[in-house]
Amino acid sequence: MKYLFTSMPVVSHVLPLVPLAQQLTLDGHDVLVATTGPAAEAARRAGLTTVDAGGRLGAREPYDRLLEVIVRGESGHAADDAEALRVHGAYFGDVGLRMFDDLLRIGREWGAEAVVYPGIHACGLVAAHALGAVGVLHGYGIPLPTFAPALEHMLANRDDLPDRVPEAEVEVDVLPPSLPNFAELPWTNGTPRHRLGMRYGSFNGSGDVPPWLLGGRDAPRMILTCGTTEAQAQRGDTYRRIIEALEGTGCEAVILSGGAAMDRLPDPLPPWVRIERWLPLKFALDQADAIVHHGGSGTVLTSFAAGLPQVVMPMPGTVSMSNGQAVEACGAGTMLDPNGLDTAELAKAATDVLASSAKRKAAVAIQREMEDMPSVRTVATRLSSIVGERSGVRS
């Protein structure tokens, strides 16, 4: 069978899709990833076949403008407040409009039987509906319906699209059952007929591992990351403040910069601080004791998969806020406001996650719960049975 995977042109949006795409490939199915920019490069590095969708129309540009809006504090506060939904819907919808024609053409010419997409990329649902293919809503953190504000934006701005597109037929849900959902949105467009729980794959990209990461360590190791975009790193200023807070804690800090500009870091760096452009996050966390991060869904679930306590500093108006609330609510970490960051408060939070047996125990409990969820192989087999039934093909 032919599975067309698609995401917005953002690395962190395509990485959660990779384990399922790889498993379907191993199972003998045809897999094609339709996106552009950084997401396409990440998919190629994962060994997947890609085709450009939206590159000719600059599909990444609305997303970059959205990041600027978020940094200016103009996107609301909580991920589910009215202003955040309106702003994200318009920009995510614009990304989809720039990708849609390419995605539809690719799907028709290639003969896609299923379209797999993360929920914020409503373009995937619209394309699946237009193609008559099975829509597969692939979770990447907190389970959400296909993002209605982006879907509505797309449908309102294309005369050739219907007034309504029903929800995907299949949902893949990667959230551990006991982790609370603080950004629950209503399923106003119907609900998936099939809901498949799946263990989070923790694929964070490929990269060379430095030899020092494999050896023993004399001090507790703290991983610091603001994800794959430059917005929260603030040219290294965010990391500089974290370093100042960690001074005197006796830990080793490892910055994973994601390639962001870092000219505001201390120069020289303290001897207990290392900086790496990119390391596969799960591998790095398996050699660490705690993490301070931006609250991205992939980072939160990868940290839980490693059983590590977390300090979360989310950007207001994003799903990172609800992610941070979930980490704090289950007892596995602390959430701080990055805009009003107090050095003493951060130092206390970092010291606490390194020393607290209760927070580590809570993180390990979620880790074990994730390990008990159905494997990617199990879900790929079930999904192919569903798609095969719809297509009249044996899986």
Side-chain angles (χ1 to χ4, degrees), residues 22-375:
Q22 290 176 332
Q23 184 62 57
L24 288 167
T25 302
L26 290 173
D27 290 345
H29 301 290
D30 295 321
V31 171
L32 183 61
V33 181
T35 184
T36 190
E41 176 59 26
R44 286 191 293 272
R45 288 173 64 89
L48 299 171
T49 302
T50 65
V51 59
D52 191 86
R56 62 190 176 86
L57 297 178
R60 167 79 188 205
E61 191 265 340
Y63 182 82
D64 288 332
R65 283 193 284 120
L66 172 62
L67 293 178
E68 295 171 1
V69 170
I70 293 172
V71 169
R72 294 197 301 267
E74 299 171 359
S75 64
H77 183 71
D80 56 354
D81 71 30
E83 184 63 8
L85 294 173
R86 183 191 67 79
V87 171
H88 283 76
Y91 285 103
F92 288 171
D94 279 346
V95 173
L97 288 169
R98 297 187 188 201
M99 294 180 65
F100 178 70
D101 287 330
D102 286 347
L103 194 59
L104 192 59
R105 174 184 53 78
I106 291 162
R108 283 176 174 160
E109 293 177 351
W110 188 57
E113 295 165 277
V115 178
V116 185
Y117 65 98
I120 54 175
H121 189 45
C123 178
L125 176 63
V126 181
H129 180 75
L131 293 167
V134 177
V136 182
L137 168 63
H138 194 306
Y140 62 92
I142 289 171
L144 297 169
T146 301
F147 193 46
L151 178 61
E152 293 163 4
H153 182 88
M154 287 191 66
L155 300 184
N157 283 277
R158 288 279 299 242
D159 293 337
D160 58 338
L161 294 179
D163 294 333
R164 178 180 178 274
V165 175
E167 185 56 271
E169 186 171 338
V170 182
E171 178 194 10
V172 176
D173 177 13
V174 298
L175 192 75
S178 71
L179 206 61
N181 183 350
F182 288 94
E184 193 165 1
L185 297 177
W187 293 78
T188 58
N189 200 33
T191 56
R193 180 182 174 191
H194 305 278
R195 188 171 192 178
L196 310 179
M198 186 179 81
R199 185 187 313 148
Y200 187 73
S202 295
F203 179 84
N204 320 113
S206 57
D208 293 327
V209 176
W212 59 263
L213 188 63
L214 305 177
R217 51 189 184 275
D218 298 324
R221 179 175 291 157
M222 179 84 77
I223 301 294
L224 318 178
T225 182
C226 291
T228 58
T229 63
E230 300 200 7
Q232 192 165 344
Q234 297 180 4
R235 294 170 52 189
D237 189 56
T238 301
Y239 292 115
R240 178 186 56 77
R241 289 184 292 163
I242 297 172
I243 291 169
E244 290 171 355
L246 295 179
E247 183 73 50
T249 61
C251 75
E252 175 194 48
V254 181
I255 297 172
L256 305 184
S257 73
M262 303 290 275
D263 56 290
R264 293 180 181 172
L265 280 178
D267 186 17
L269 283 173
W272 49 273
V273 178
R274 299 178 185 266
I275 183 168
E276 294 284 341
R277 185 180 186 279
W278 184 277
L279 290 178
L281 183 60
K282 175 61 163 59
F283 197 97
L285 294 181
D286 285 340
Q287 324 300 320
D289 300 285
I291 180 171
V292 178
H293 64 87
H294 63 302
S297 299
T299 304
V300 167
L301 288 182
T302 301
S303 299
F304 275 127
L308 290 193
Q310 310 170 43
V311 177
V312 186
M313 303 190 306
M315 296 183 75
T318 69
V319 73
S320 299
M321 289 288 294
S322 48
N323 290 337
Q325 289 175 293
V327 169
E328 196 165 61
C330 77
T334 301
M335 183 174 77
L336 302 175
D337 180 359
N339 294 324
L341 196 60
D342 177 84
T343 299
E345 184 183 26
L346 177 54
K348 181 179 182 301
T351 302
D352 189 39
V353 295
L354 286 170
S356 171
S357 59
K359 284 184 170 59
R360 181 167 296 279
K361 183 178 180 180
V364 169
I366 300 294
Q367 177 191 40
R368 290 174 178 166
E369 187 176 26
M370 293 174 74
E371 291 170 350
D372 289 338
M373 294 176 72
S375 68

